[in-house]
């Protein structure tokens, strides 16, 4: 009932009602009070009460138990005998006092009272002093779910499930019956919770008020339940407001993150972010959350300690009845241990337990990926199956434990051989597999095969026993031998089968052509590796002249390989030497031998140097040792490099050339005009000479374009302050043309072929 409704009803009553606050000031003064006591409402409201203090400050009900009249003073000073009842108002501050004349109420008054009671939304009952229901209003019947009339004559206590709570106070007890949370089992089986207040009202009568608090009781108990769940939950619960500021968090949140509620309250949950997810991740998360109302997934967050941990999280949007977002709730659990075992399981499932290498499953997986990439970028993939020869015998001779150790050692050796992107797997038993993706040329796999064979066959010591193994290798290449993982495995298996048939230490490609090439290459590399020690390398010298062809300026050293009766030109072996790394020892020999001749003849000698040599970290030292050993002045040594030095953007190579130039060594750009180096790149090199490539000289007389290039090279060289030499000059006409262009020097068959030192010597003018 609203205060206004109450005031209206009170005004119709024949009883004066006066309300007081805790300080005794008047808060309520109905019409009957105006009539009875003489003060109007404006005169008394908010003012100290004109009533005696016992009535205006009733902390406990003051009841007219004996109906003994009390004397009160009216405004005009006259005294009046009245009967009063005061009581604190349940749920409100202060108290209310009813004042009436002892004369019996008129019938009209009684009817008014009844009407008021009947329409009151609260249950109102009139009880006898023993607690028998004498009257009950409609609301009481409605509340208890029974006919209003059936209540009359029943003991009040019988309406409650626990009747003792509604027992009437005895004579020595305070005259008041107050019980909160009285449970009532209604006739229809539902349960009701009531707050009950009953006070003596008139002679031998009590009035009782019943208020339905079921809804709030239910909310309260539900809240209490939620609170217990919130506190006891093993999952962290975090609630933020509509602006995503943290409102509350449970103890599990603190346990997982290390933050207390006090530390995070009012802050954005961003303080937990690990930095492992990018902006797009969070943007997508928020999009899903706004669209679906929830998001679930794995998330990396950071604890207060700084440690990053994985969590399984559910975010939920909480909206009010109008659909406005009021809160966000996050529930998450720490899945560090789950993740760890997940990783362990997947590792175990994909790796071989003996060697720790990937197993067949993982290899197949990577092979499929590699094949997909190769299809996209046009590179080749090599699959090598490596089978240890006669491993059973090895195993038997050294014992089972050593056998395991041997397999582990082989695995480690193979691992060391490969690049990051390659995979070594153990297929089971004594069989390993190598996956080499991203090969620009399928033939590059030949080198890997040779390295594998060398690695496996190098002696190893297992438990202080020397073991020497060999392996058979089968190789298949994608795309030519197959483009699916299964096809490639089948091809490699077939290749391995024929390798095994060929005896220990053999290898086979799936295709004949590559088999042949690989074999040739291997024997070439083997032979070349012995060329230096067997003294099979020769140097030929080709003279270089001034443009008139009359004055000898120096010579270019050109390597040859004496193979029995055959003298091999560099075109047949320099590339292989380069690829196999043998160029290092060949090149060092050439440098030493060239320096020795140059010192002997006191003539400038040009030596060809490949990029691969320049890439050696100690190349400057190698040159230095050659100069020292022959006591040659550095200015008599010229190194010929090609445009690839600048084209490959190899800073270290350029730096090494500068150091050599600083020593006094001269640097020439060989075969100039065939590459694509730009003027700006050329300027980075410490050059002293440009060599016009033979191709332009050959066509000098027939091709206008070539002549233009040759002419441009001469001009360019001079612009850079360099000497320009033309190579491959075979005809006098070419020489004349070059002379007209301003070319400084010439080299070519017209003036002399590359020859052995004894035949070169006569060209050197006697001093
Ligand atoms: P390059 O440095 O351009 O050497 C010049 C090549 O042209 C030599 O071939 C030479 O014999 C040939 N030549 C010279 N004048 C004429 C001519 O008038 N007409 C024709 N048709 N050819 C002429 P060679 O000796 O076969 O050497 C080939 C290449 O091998 C050299 O080209 C050089 O790049 C490389 N090379 C030679 N010796 C070495 C070496 O010791 N180390 C390295 N890394 N490379 C070398
Ligand atoms: Mg050269
Ligand atoms: Mg050349």
């Amino acid at each position: 009932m609203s205060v206004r409704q109450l005031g209206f009803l009170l005004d119709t009553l024949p009883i004066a009602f006066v309300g007081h606050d805790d300080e005794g000031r008047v808060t309520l003064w109905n019409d009957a009070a105006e009539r009875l006591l003489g003060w109007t409402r404006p005169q008394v409201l908010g003012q100290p009460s004109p009533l005696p203090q016992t009535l205006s400050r009733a902390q406990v009900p003051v009841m007219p138990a004996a109906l003994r009249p009390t004397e009160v003073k009216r405004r005009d000073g006259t005294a009046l005998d009245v009967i009063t009842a005061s009581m604190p108002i349940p749920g409100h501050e202060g108290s209310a006092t009813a004042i009436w004349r002892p004369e019996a109420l008129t019938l009209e008054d009684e009817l008014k009272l009844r009407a008021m009671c009947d329409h009151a939304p609260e249950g109102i009952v009139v009880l006898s002093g023993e607690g028998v229901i004498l009257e009950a209003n409609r609301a009481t019947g409605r509340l208890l779910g029974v006919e209003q009339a059936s209540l009359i004559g029943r003991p009040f206590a019988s309406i409650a499930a626990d009747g003792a709570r509604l027992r009437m106070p005895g004579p020595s007890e305070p005259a008041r019956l107050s019980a909160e949370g009285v449970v009532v089992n209604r006739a229809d089986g539902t349960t009701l919770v009531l707050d009950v207040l009953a006070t003596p009202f008139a002679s031998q009568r009590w009035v009782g008020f019943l208020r339905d608090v079921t809804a709030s009781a239910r909310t309260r108990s539900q809240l209490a339940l939620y609170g217990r769940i919130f506190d006891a939950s093993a999952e962290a619960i975090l609630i933020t407001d509509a602006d995503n500021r943290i409102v509350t968090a449970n103890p599990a949140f603190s346990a997982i993150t290390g933050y207390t509620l006090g530390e995070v309250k009012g802050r954005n949950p961003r303080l937990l972010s690990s930095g492992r997810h990018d902006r797009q991740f969070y943007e997508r998360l928020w999009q899903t959350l706004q669209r679906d109302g929830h998001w679930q997934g794995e998330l990396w967050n950071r604890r207060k300690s700084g440690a990053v941990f994985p969590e399984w999280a559910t975010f939920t949007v909480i909206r009010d009845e109008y659909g406005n977002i009021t809160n966000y709730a996050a529930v998450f659990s720490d899945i560090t241990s789950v993740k760890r075992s997940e990783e362990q399981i997947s590792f175990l499932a994909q790796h071989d337990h003996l060697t720790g290498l990937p197993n067949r499953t993982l290899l197949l997986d990577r092979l499929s990926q590699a094949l997909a990439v190769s299809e996209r970028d046009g590179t080749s993939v090599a699959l090598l199956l490596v089978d240890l020869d006669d491993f059973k015998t090895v195993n038997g001779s050294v014992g089972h434990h050593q056998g395991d150790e041997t397999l582990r050692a082989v695995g480690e050796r193979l691992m060391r051989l490969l690049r990051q992107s390659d995979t070594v797997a153990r297929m089971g038993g004594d069989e390993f597999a190598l996956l080499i993706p991203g090969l620009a040329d399928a033939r590059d796999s030949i080198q890997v095969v040779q390295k594998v064979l060398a690695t496996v066959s190098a002696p190893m010591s297992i438990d202080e026993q020397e073991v020497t193994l060999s392996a058979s290798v089968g190789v298949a290449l994608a795309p030519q031998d197959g483009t699916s993982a299964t096809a490639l495995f089948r091809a490699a298996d077939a290749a391995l089968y024929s390798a095994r048939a060929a005896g220990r230490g053999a290898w086979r490609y799936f295709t004949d052509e590559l088999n042949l090439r690989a074999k040739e290459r291997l024997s070439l590399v083997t032979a070349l590796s012995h060329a230096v020690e067997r003294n099979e390398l020769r140097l030929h010298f080709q003279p270089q002249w001034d443009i008139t062809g009359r004055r000898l300026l120096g010579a270019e050293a050109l390597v040859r390989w004496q193979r029995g009766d055959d003298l091999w030109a560099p075109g047949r072996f320099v590339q292989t030497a380069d690829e196999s790394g043998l160029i290092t020892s060949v090149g060092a020999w050439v440098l030493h031998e060239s320096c020795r001749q140059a010192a002997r003849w006191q003539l400038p000698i040009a030596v060809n140097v490949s990029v691969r040599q320049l890439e050696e970290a100690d190349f400057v030292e190698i040159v230095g040792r050659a100069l020292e050993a022959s006591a040659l002045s550095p200015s008599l040594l010229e190194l010929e490099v090609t445009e690839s030095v600048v084209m490959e953007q190899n800073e270290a190579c350029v730096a090494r050339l500068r150091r050599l130039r600083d020593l006094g060594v001269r640097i020439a750009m060989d075969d100039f005009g065939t590459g694509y180096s730009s003027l700006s790149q050329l300027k980075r090199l410490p050059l002293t000479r440009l060599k016009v490539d033979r191709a332009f000289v050959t066509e000098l007389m027939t091709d206008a374009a070539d002549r233009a290039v040759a002419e441009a090279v001469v001009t360019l060289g001079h612009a850079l302050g360099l000497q320009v030499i033309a190579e491959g000059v075979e005809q006098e006409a070419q020489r004349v043309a070059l002379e007209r262009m301003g070319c400084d020097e010439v080299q070519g068959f017209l003036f002399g072929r590359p020859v052995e030192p004894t035949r070169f010597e006569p060209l050197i003018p006697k001093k």
Side-chain angles (χ1 to χ4, degrees):
M1 197 182 327
S2 76
V3 175
R4 243 190 55 215
Q5 279 175 312
L6 183 70
F8 173 75
L9 283 165
L10 287 175
D11 282 347
T12 67
L13 283 178
I15 297 172
F17 270 97
V18 177
H20 297 104
D21 67 14
D22 288 341
E23 259 83 60
R25 271 188 288 265
V26 176
T27 55
L28 187 89
W29 193 267
N30 70 346
D31 283 359
E34 285 194 341
R35 285 195 303 271
L36 190 70
L37 299 168
W39 283 277
T40 62
R41 260 192 294 269
Q43 288 169 329
V44 289
L45 280 179
Q47 301 298 318
S49 175
L51 297 181
Q53 232 190 1
T54 44
L55 300 180
S56 60
R57 301 234 179 152
Q59 299 302 324
V60 291
V62 179
M63 286 303 125
L67 281 186
R68 201 179 309 115
T70 308
E71 192 184 273
V72 293
K73 285 272 186 347
R74 304 183 65 197
R75 187 184 172 213
D76 59 10
T78 55
L80 200 63
D81 279 337
V82 292
I83 293 174
T84 60
S86 296
M87 63 187 104
I89 310 167
H92 295 273
E93 279 189 358
S95 58
T97 301
I99 307 166
W100 68 95
R101 307 287 296 269
E103 302 92 70
L105 300 173
T106 63
L107 183 61
E108 194 196 347
D109 293 338
E110 204 179 313
L111 287 174
K112 278 186 187 168
L113 257 177
R114 249 177 229 290
M116 181 191 102
C117 286
D118 244 5
H119 290 99
E122 297 195 342
I124 300 173
V125 288
V126 176
L127 306 172
S128 71
E130 290 77 38
V132 174
I133 299 172
L134 301 177
E135 297 199 29
N137 69 346
R138 261 188 230 170
T140 307
R142 208 170 47 236
L143 276 177
L144 303 179
V146 294
E147 282 293 318
Q148 197 179 346
S150 75
L151 285 165
I152 313 300
R154 268 175 65 180
F156 187 45
S158 72
I159 68 165
D162 177 8
R165 301 204 57 197
L166 297 183
R167 192 181 56 78
M168 303 305 285
S172 55
E173 292 172 86
R176 177 187 168 87
L177 168 59
S178 166
E180 285 182 1
V182 175
V183 175
V184 169
N185 294 318
R186 302 173 80 215
D188 66 0
T190 56
T191 301
L192 207 63
V193 181
L194 299 177
D195 280 356
V196 177
L197 182 79
T199 59
F201 178 63
S203 175
Q204 306 297 310
R205 296 283 183 275
W206 288 59
V207 61
F209 300 93
L210 316 178
R211 191 186 313 157
D212 182 0
V213 294
T214 313
S216 59
R218 191 175 296 141
T219 316
R220 230 178 334 182
S221 73
Q222 230 159 33
L223 282 177
L225 179 64
Y226 290 158
R228 279 199 296 279
I229 294 172
F230 187 78
D231 285 346
S233 167
E235 302 196 308
I237 304 175
L238 185 69
I239 311 284
T240 63
D241 63 16
D243 296 327
N244 206 21
R245 280 185 304 250
I246 296 173
V247 176
T248 188
N250 68 344
F253 171 86
S254 299
I256 292 174
T257 65
Y259 287 106
T260 64
L261 176 57
E263 287 171 317
V264 296
K265 206 167 183 162
R267 298 184 63 182
N268 188 298
R270 202 182 296 134
L271 87 149
L272 297 173
S273 69
S274 62
R276 283 221 188 167
H277 305 287
D278 55 13
R279 241 200 23 236
Q280 286 98 306
F281 175 86
Y282 290 109
E283 273 168 16
R284 272 198 303 274
L285 189 159
W286 274 97
Q287 269 168 19
T288 310
L289 193 56
Q290 301 288 348
R291 190 189 58 220
D292 304 345
H294 53 86
W295 179 92
Q296 200 168 50
E298 230 175 84
L299 198 67
W300 289 88
N301 266 344
R302 188 184 296 279
R303 300 185 219 272
K304 190 183 175 188
S305 66
V308 168
F309 68 100
E311 60 182 43
W312 178 255
T314 308
F315 295 154
T316 311
V317 177
I318 301 172
R319 297 175 189 272
D320 64 15
E321 51 199 312
Y322 307 109
N324 302 314
I325 294 176
T326 59
N327 297 90
Y328 298 98
V331 178
F332 60 84
S333 48
D334 186 339
I335 53 167
T336 306
S337 56
V338 178
K339 261 248 148 5
R340 200 173 296 139
S341 48
E342 216 176 73
E343 278 161 14
Q344 255 163 12
I345 290 167
S346 93
F347 184 88
L348 288 177
Q350 301 194 315
H351 290 79
D352 164 49
H353 66 99
L354 178 65
T355 58
L357 293 175
N359 62 12
R360 179 186 278 270
T361 313
L362 185 53
L363 181 80
L364 268 170
D365 197 43
R366 296 207 182 146
L367 178 57
S368 307
Q369 282 174 28
L371 289 172
V373 172
S374 111
E375 200 179 310
R376 251 183 286 129
D377 66 10
T379 56
S380 294
V381 175
L383 177 65
L384 279 65
L385 292 182
V386 180
D387 187 62
L388 301 181
D389 296 326
D390 255 350
F391 188 68
K392 276 195 197 74
T393 331
V394 176
N395 218 359
S397 69
V398 294
H400 188 70
H401 170 71
Q402 283 94 331
D404 284 354
E405 282 303 307
T406 310
L407 288 173
R408 259 197 284 268
V410 170
E412 262 167 47
R413 285 184 176 195
L414 290 175
M415 284 266 281
R416 253 180 277 141
L417 216 62
L418 302 184
R419 300 167 303 172
Q420 189 85 47
S421 53
D422 303 339
T423 300
V424 183
R426 179 161 175 245
M427 306 301 285
D430 55 355
E431 195 174 311
F432 294 84
L434 273 68
L435 169 65
I436 326 270
L439 288 170
D441 185 337
R443 277 169 296 180
D444 294 347
S445 60
I446 293 168
Q447 282 156 260
V448 182
V449 175
Q450 284 157 9
K451 277 198 261 177
V452 166
L453 288 171
T455 294
V456 173
S457 59
M460 56 178 92
S461 123
I462 302 291
D463 286 351
E464 291 171 16
Q465 274 201 56
E466 177 127 326
V467 178
T468 305
L469 300 169
S470 67
S472 303
V473 181
V475 190
L477 297 163
Q480 54 263 58
D481 302 341
T483 49
S484 73
T486 11
L488 213 57
F489 257 107
R490 218 179 301 124
D493 251 336
L496 178 61
Y497 184 81
S498 63
R500 278 212 209 91
R504 302 171 60 95
W507 83 99
R508 285 290 183 277
Y509 276 83
F510 185 65
T511 44
D512 290 343
E513 190 238 36
L514 271 162
N515 268 333
L516 203 68
R517 266 180 206 280
K519 244 181 255 168
E520 278 171 5
R521 202 191 122 91
L522 184 66
S523 57
L524 181 65
V525 169
T526 311
L528 188 59
S529 70
H530 299 299
V532 175
E533 68 199 50
R534 290 181 187 157
N535 204 17
E536 290 169 354
L537 295 181
R538 308 276 177 269
L539 272 190
H540 282 192
F541 294 88
Q542 185 177 29
Q544 298 177 331
W545 308 85
D546 75 341
I547 193 70
T548 63
R550 286 194 278 266
R551 195 157 64 87
L552 182 74
L553 298 176
E556 177 175 5
L558 295 157
V559 72
R560 304 286 181 261
W561 182 12
Q562 189 76 57
R563 301 202 70 186
D565 290 340
D566 267 4
L567 189 66
W568 277 26
R572 295 179 72 178
F573 65 92
V574 164
Q575 198 195 336
T576 304
D578 237 15
E579 286 165 3
S580 63
L582 289 170
I583 194 72
T584 311
S585 54
V586 172
W589 179 87
V590 170
L591 271 166
H592 273 268
E593 193 55 23
S594 300
C595 288
R596 203 176 61 76
Q597 284 298 354
R600 210 158 74 80
W601 293 332
Q602 282 303 300
L603 189 77
I605 301 283
V607 176
N608 294 283
V609 171
S610 76
V611 179
R612 179 70 188 257
Q613 287 174 272
L614 270 172
E615 279 168 356
E616 301 275 337
D618 59 350
F619 181 68
V620 178
E621 286 70 36
I622 291 172
V623 175
R625 277 198 290 276
L627 288 168
E628 237 171 75
S630 55
L632 180 70
S633 154
S635 63
L636 290 185
L637 178 65
E638 179 172 72
L639 301 181
E640 290 191 5
V641 298
T642 54
E643 283 174 275
S644 47
V645 175
V646 271
M647 274 158 39
E648 281 162 26
Q649 306 270 316
N650 197 327
E651 286 311 316
C653 290
V654 175
R656 270 176 218 125
L657 287 176
R658 290 223 181 85
R659 279 172 61 201
L660 287 164
R661 182 71 195 102
D662 289 345
L663 288 179
V665 173
R666 299 157 70 82
I667 315 285
M669 172 61 71
D670 202 354
D671 304 341
F672 188 71
T674 53
Y676 298 92
S677 57
S678 68
L679 185 59
S680 62
Q681 285 169 325
L682 264 195
K683 275 165 63 186
R684 289 169 53 229
L685 294 180
L687 297 177
T688 45
R689 195 145 71 146
L690 269 194
K691 293 190 83 169
V692 183
D693 192 69
R694 198 173 74 221
F696 304 109
V697 177
T698 309
E699 302 295 321
L700 203 56
M701 310 316 297
T702 51
D703 190 314
D706 281 338
R707 187 161 52 236
V709 173
E711 203 163 351
V713 171
V714 174
T715 315
L716 175 68
H718 288 165
L720 290 172
L722 307 176
Q723 292 287 102
V724 180
I725 180 166
E727 58 181 339
V729 181
E730 296 181 354
Q731 303 157 11
E732 173 62 16
Q734 293 166 340
R735 188 202 67 79
V736 172
L738 287 162
E739 187 172 16
R740 282 209 200 103
M741 288 175 194
C743 185
D744 306 295
E745 298 154 14
V746 284
Q747 172 184 350
F749 292 172
L750 179 64
F751 310 99
R753 293 179 174 257
V755 289
E756 55 204 71
T758 46
R759 288 179 54 198
F760 183 87
E761 246 164 42
L763 297 175
I764 304 170
K766 300 272 162 344
K767 293 235 168 87

